[in-house]
Amino acid sequence: MSGNTVARLHPTTLAPGRAARELGLKRSEFDLGVHLGRIRTTPDEGGGGRRVARAEIDRLRAEPGFPETLRRRVQAVGTGEGAAVLEVPPTRFTRLARVGLVVPVKFYLNRYRAVVWLYLAEELRQFATDRTNAFLLTGRTPEVLRSQLAAGVDLRPRNWRGRHLGFLLRQTDDPWQRAGVLAAFLGPPHVAEIVDDPYERSHLNRFRPVPPAYGAPGSPAAQLIEKIMTAQDRDEIDWLSSDLANTLAEARAGQPAPRPLPKPARQGPSPRHGRPDAPDTRDRSYAYGGSDGSVASDEPSPSTRGLFGWLCRRNG
């Protein structure tokens, strides 16, 4: 077997789809594993996104209980299943999530454009077995939490943003990429306030990550996703803005944003010829067309030779 054939059968890195199959995971489970740092990826040298090293596949496959243990570590559940893990009613589970005691790991929009939050089952099992959380799972909800819920507190979007921001920043390789990630969580007015140079904003937009869920541009679904992606609270906006300003300064120092080359200065008309493409009228053989279509020479015509001669005799 030739070396090229071996390389094709056992590449040193794998595309995400093939890596998921070799790990016995659904693609959504694989993506979540990458998101959580359970599956390490490397940049594609050809610029085609992230890839998984063969050594990483071998490491995961060698873990005890593979593949069941890996699947349990990347299992995401909704409110109903999450409530069953905690052994509480779904309403109590939702209250715990709204006040930030359990943090969503991802979301999607259902057919009715309602947000469906998903939680990491492994974290819920840890929450349930922690004895310090027992009073939250049974009996009356503490007064401080009830007052927050009565005020309409819902920390699920913010907590998800913080988690997703951390994931995206771990995937970056330089300051411009980090700045693009930070800008993705701020509204356009806040970004424009920090990045007032249009060329820098254009360069920054190249590194903005795509949203985790999709909707047709301008659609209600897209607007809802944008709202979830964008910081809402003043303190969250302030620290994101501060991080963006600091990261942008680092990016500028390392490699300024590209700008169009200045246009070369236009040369003025030649004083001798009138314009660059004008013929040299000193060439006595040059002919031009008259208004009647005739061709005339710049030699004196017979009708003007007498006048020239008269002027010469007078001056002499």
Side-chain angles (χ1 to χ4, degrees):
M1 186 180 294
S2 68
N4 290 337
T5 303
V6 172
R8 287 195 300 269
L9 294 177
H10 301 283
T12 57
T13 62
L14 286 73
R18 179 170 175 182
R21 291 193 298 272
E22 295 210 9
L23 292 172
L25 299 175
K26 299 176 182 177
R27 180 58 189 269
S28 59
E29 294 172 331
F30 172 85
D31 291 341
L32 183 56
V34 173
H35 182 119
L36 298 169
R38 305 284 197 269
I39 303 171
R40 297 190 292 260
T41 61
T42 58
D44 184 358
E45 296 181 356
R50 311 289 295 188
R51 295 179 68 86
V52 182
R54 169 60 65 181
E56 177 69 359
I57 299 293
D58 295 339
R59 180 187 72 83
L60 293 168
R61 291 174 65 92
E63 290 184 344
F66 176 86
E68 286 75 16
T69 52
L70 179 59
R71 289 199 189 103
R72 282 174 59 87
R73 294 169 65 191
V74 297
Q75 180 188 9
V77 297
T79 297
E81 293 176 280
V85 172
L86 297 186
E87 298 181 355
V88 298
T91 52
R92 181 180 285 265
F93 182 90
T94 299
R95 291 197 296 269
L96 294 174
R98 287 174 64 92
V99 296
L101 292 174
V102 292
V103 178
V105 72
K106 61 190 297 186
F107 75 91
Y108 67 90
L109 303 185
N110 64 15
R111 67 178 67 182
Y112 307 107
R113 291 199 300 271
V115 181
V116 179
W117 296 103
L118 299 176
Y119 305 83
L120 195 62
E122 182 182 48
E123 291 181 350
L124 298 180
R125 287 190 288 267
Q126 294 171 356
F127 186 91
T129 56
D130 188 342
R131 293 184 178 182
T132 62
N133 297 326
F135 76 102
L136 297 169
L137 304 178
T138 59
R140 187 175 177 82
T141 302
E143 174 61 31
V144 63
L145 301 183
R146 283 189 283 118
S147 62
Q148 289 178 320
L149 292 168
V153 168
D154 188 355
L155 297 178
R156 289 174 295 181
R158 175 168 179 165
N159 285 339
W160 172 84
R161 283 194 296 271
R163 188 166 211 164
H164 194 58
L165 174 63
F167 159 68
L168 293 174
L169 289 176
R170 288 194 298 271
Q171 302 295 308
T172 59
D173 299 313
D174 63 64
W176 278 112
Q177 291 181 2
R178 292 196 292 274
V181 167
L182 292 166
F185 290 85
L186 289 168
H190 295 106
V191 174
E193 183 178 348
I194 300 167
V195 193
D196 56 359
D197 187 300
Y199 295 111
E200 286 188 339
R201 283 201 303 273
S202 177
H203 189 55
L204 196 67
N205 286 337
R206 296 177 53 199
F207 303 105
R208 291 175 68 100
V210 297
Y214 298 92
S219 67
Q223 293 173 5
L224 179 55
I225 293 168
E226 182 180 359
K227 182 177 180 181
I228 294 173
M229 279 284 297
T230 306
Q232 304 293 326
D233 300 328
R234 184 71 257 175
D235 62 326
E236 185 184 8
I237 293 171
D238 286 345
W239 69 258
L240 280 170
S241 299
S242 177
D243 280 1
L244 176 58
N246 293 334
T247 305
L248 191 62
E250 182 183 354
R252 287 168 177 152
Q255 183 180 9
R259 298 175 181 275
L261 295 175
K263 295 181 179 180
R266 296 183 63 181
Q267 298 293 331
S270 170
R272 185 174 64 187
H273 299 299
R275 66 179 190 275
D277 59 344
D280 187 351
T281 55
R282 293 177 300 169
D283 182 359
R284 310 314 294 177
S285 63
Y286 175 74
Y288 58 92
S291 60
D292 59 354
S294 61
V295 176
S297 167
D298 60 355
E299 288 291 336
S301 64
S303 59
T304 59
R305 289 194 184 110
L307 178 59
F308 289 157
W310 177 79
L311 289 172
C312 289
R313 288 193 300 274
R314 182 178 179 182
N315 292 335

